[in-house]
Amino acid sequence: MSLIVQKYGGTSVSDISRMMHVARKIKATQNAGHSVVVVVSAMGHETDRLDDLAHQIMDNPTPRELDVLLATGEQVSIALLCMALHSMGCPARSYTGAQVAIRTNSVHTKSRIEHIDDEKIRADLAQGMVVVVAGFQGIDAAGNTTTLGRGGSDTTAVALAAALKADECQIYTDVDGVYTTDPRMVSDARRMPRVTFDEMLELSSLGAQVLQIRAVEFAGKYNVPLRVLSTFKEGSGTLITFDEKSMEQPIVSGIAFSREEAKLIIRGVPDKPGIAGQILGPISDANIEVDMIVQILGDDGNTDFAFTVHRRDYEQAFAILREVNDELGAGGVLGDAKIAKVSLVGVGMRSHAGIASTMFKVLGAEGINIQLVATSEIKVSVLVDEKYLELGVRALHEAFRLHEDPYEEEAERRRLRA
Ligand code: ASP
Ligand code: MG
């Protein structure tokens, strides 16, 4: 008998009929002989609704009270879901974050889990109960209600799975897995049966928004096997695994992209030690995150310094850079907020050279100019004009044959050999 933690997101419990559907799935899991702990989010857009109410009162709602308010959404869900289970004759008990004792630090609206007391849950499971826990919330040492940041129920689920040493943490959502790229952009994008943690981190941070990134980090750290699957469609979803070696690993696993990029360039700065810090220091002091960084040396001993930020930070970063420019007596500031980032991701790149050059060739053949490049062991990212994003992603998906199932092919090859 195994212990499974299942998490159902807001869309999965947005009304009573969906709630009943979820209850049936939980009951079926228990009937199959598993112990089940369920984490549930607030119904549909409830958290947004509550947040909006607070903002009708003040621009910056008091963080402590905002947490008290937002945490109510999940409390509604746990009670209704337990009633749904009871109506089917399935024993179940609900707990708020505080009742389970999901202890967090005191950073309201983005607190971190420090400890989970699993005693109550284990006792209930031993009695054959389904345990339903409110996602997204906890309690600090002083007894204040805290929340984990938007999308935080994923983290609750993973943390519970880690604390209980669950056999699997299943994240049920409205998509049926993680795809080779966004299926809304590339129609023959393929669901990946498995993906490694490292790949998933790259894919989620780059915009494949299926899982809260903190939850993936947490799962990787505590070795929690994580599976993403659909509430509404049967299937085995995508398993996120640490096990690279047992996978017949394709070189490129997926393509992530983001339209949220902006590029800034400061020209003609003196090429001397400390200059990068002088330019980026004020940017990070303003809490603006910098992604790609490139320094190009000119032949006059001056350099052009380019970097990217999230598009929402563009105006502010531009203003800061103007000041830096004046202080340094540099040659001016340029920028472009209409750019996009495309990244090839795959752990197979570790052992294969030449992926970047293939990528450049493919984009070049489509007449797409590459503005910046960044690479890591398992990723190549390029910056392109936003208007070429779709074209670029489609061409790369085709060129790297991501629509073909590498596991199927490998199995086929083995069959032929045998
Ligand atoms: N209800 C919270 C939110 O909407 C937490 C979650 O759904 O994960 O962000
Ligand atoms: Mg969510």
Side-chain angles (χ1 to χ4, degrees):
M1 184 167 109
S2 52
L3 172 55
I4 295 177
V5 174
Q6 298 188 331
K7 181 259 172 176
Y8 292 92
T11 2
S12 304
V13 293
S14 59
D15 58 33
I16 295 301
S17 82
R18 287 186 171 182
M19 197 79 91
M20 296 300 278
H21 173 71
V22 164
R24 279 190 291 273
K25 288 181 77 78
I26 295 167
K27 188 179 178 201
T29 311
Q30 197 193 40
N31 286 348
H34 305 296
S35 289
V36 193
V37 174
V38 178
V39 172
V40 69
S41 295
M43 296 172 74
H45 298 286
E46 179 64 7
T47 311
D48 290 334
R49 188 185 72 85
L50 295 168
D51 192 56
D52 180 63
L53 290 177
H55 281 88
Q56 286 180 37
I57 297 176
M58 56 205 293
D59 286 342
N60 294 305
T62 327
R64 183 186 182 279
E65 305 314 324
L66 191 59
D67 275 353
V68 173
L69 177 70
L70 296 190
T72 62
E74 272 70 14
Q75 191 168 336
V76 171
S77 299
I78 55 171
L80 290 173
L81 185 55
C82 278
M83 290 175 198
L85 286 162
H86 296 164
S87 76
M88 295 168 191
C90 180
R93 195 174 273 163
S94 70
Y95 292 105
T96 63
Q99 288 173 323
V100 178
I102 297 183
R103 283 280 298 276
T104 71
N105 64 17
S106 304
V107 185
H108 285 292
T109 75
K110 42 177 180 273
S111 57
R112 298 209 164 231
I113 297 176
E114 288 174 343
H115 178 78
I116 294 182
D117 193 355
D118 59 2
E119 213 173 299
K120 264 198 207 113
I121 299 179
R122 287 196 189 278
D124 284 351
L125 290 176
Q127 286 180 40
M129 295 265 180
V130 168
V131 178
V132 180
V133 180
F136 172 61
Q137 55 180 266
I139 185 170
D140 75 358
N144 297 300
T145 299
T146 53
T147 66
L148 307 177
R150 298 305 304 271
S153 297
D154 289 350
T155 301
T156 305
V158 173
L160 274 170
L164 294 163
K165 301 195 175 48
D167 295 279
E168 197 165 287
C169 181
Q170 304 177 339
I171 308 284
Y172 282 91
T173 175
D174 42 4
V175 295
D176 66 344
V178 182
Y179 278 68
T180 48
T181 196
D182 189 337
R184 284 168 300 188
M185 186 178 287
V186 180
S187 60
D188 59 0
R190 189 176 44 80
R191 178 176 59 81
M192 297 184 276
R194 287 167 296 179
V195 63
T196 71
F197 273 99
D198 288 342
E199 290 170 332
M200 190 60 219
L201 284 174
E202 297 294 356
L203 292 168
S204 55
S205 69
L206 295 169
Q209 284 150 351
V210 194
L211 276 168
Q212 198 201 31
I213 183 136
R214 256 176 67 201
V216 179
E217 283 166 359
F218 209 106
K221 192 165 157 198
Y222 293 99
N223 283 14
V224 178
L226 199 58
R227 191 183 289 277
V228 178
L229 54 191
S230 165
T231 307
F232 310 107
K233 195 171 142 192
E234 288 298 317
S236 54
T238 297
L239 178 68
I240 302 162
T241 154
F242 354 84
D243 200 4
E244 282 182 22
K245 295 200 188 65
S246 73
M247 298 172 72
E248 294 292 350
Q249 197 55 58
I251 300 172
V252 175
S253 296
I255 303 175
F257 59 86
S258 152
R259 301 173 194 277
E260 316 272 81
E261 311 287 321
K263 178 178 75 172
L264 294 132
I265 304 171
I266 176 163
R267 313 215 29 207
V269 292
D271 182 31
K272 58 178 195 210
I275 205 77
Q278 267 174 290
I279 295 168
L280 295 179
I283 300 283
S284 77
D285 289 346
N287 276 320
I288 298 174
E289 238 178 271
V290 170
D291 182 19
M292 296 167 149
I293 304 173
V294 178
Q295 199 182 339
I296 311 136
L297 187 59
D299 44 16
D300 54 356
N302 286 338
T303 89
D304 290 349
F305 194 94
F307 59 92
T308 65
V309 297
H310 193 280
R311 200 173 284 179
R312 66 165 176 256
D313 296 326
Y314 176 68
E315 303 291 334
Q316 197 192 354
F318 198 94
I320 294 171
L321 211 55
R322 270 231 170 97
E323 283 173 32
V324 174
N325 180 75
D326 293 346
E327 278 162 31
L328 296 175
V333 178
L334 300 171
D336 185 353
K338 286 216 167 67
I339 53 172
K341 181 165 74 172
V342 181
S343 306
L344 297 182
V345 176
V347 292
M349 284 186 206
R350 285 195 176 125
S351 48
H352 284 81
I355 299 302
S357 61
T358 307
M359 182 186 200
F360 302 158
K361 255 183 240 155
V362 171
L363 295 175
E366 299 291 338
I368 301 173
N369 185 39
I370 298 167
Q371 304 188 15
L372 279 183
V373 182
T375 63
S376 79
E377 236 194 329
I378 66 160
K379 177 179 78 167
V380 185
S381 303
V382 298
L383 217 56
V384 300
D385 191 318
E386 189 187 352
K387 62 175 181 273
Y388 298 123
L389 176 64
E390 295 210 19
L391 178 64
V393 172
R394 288 204 183 112
L396 290 167
H397 200 271
E398 174 72 37
F400 285 96
R401 313 209 66 73
L402 296 185
H403 53 284
E404 291 169 0
D405 185 340
Y407 308 105
E408 274 292 308
E409 262 184 48
E410 182 58 32
E412 180 71 45
R413 236 175 276 144
R414 273 206 214 107
R415 271 196 296 278
L416 290 176
R417 249 183 268 137

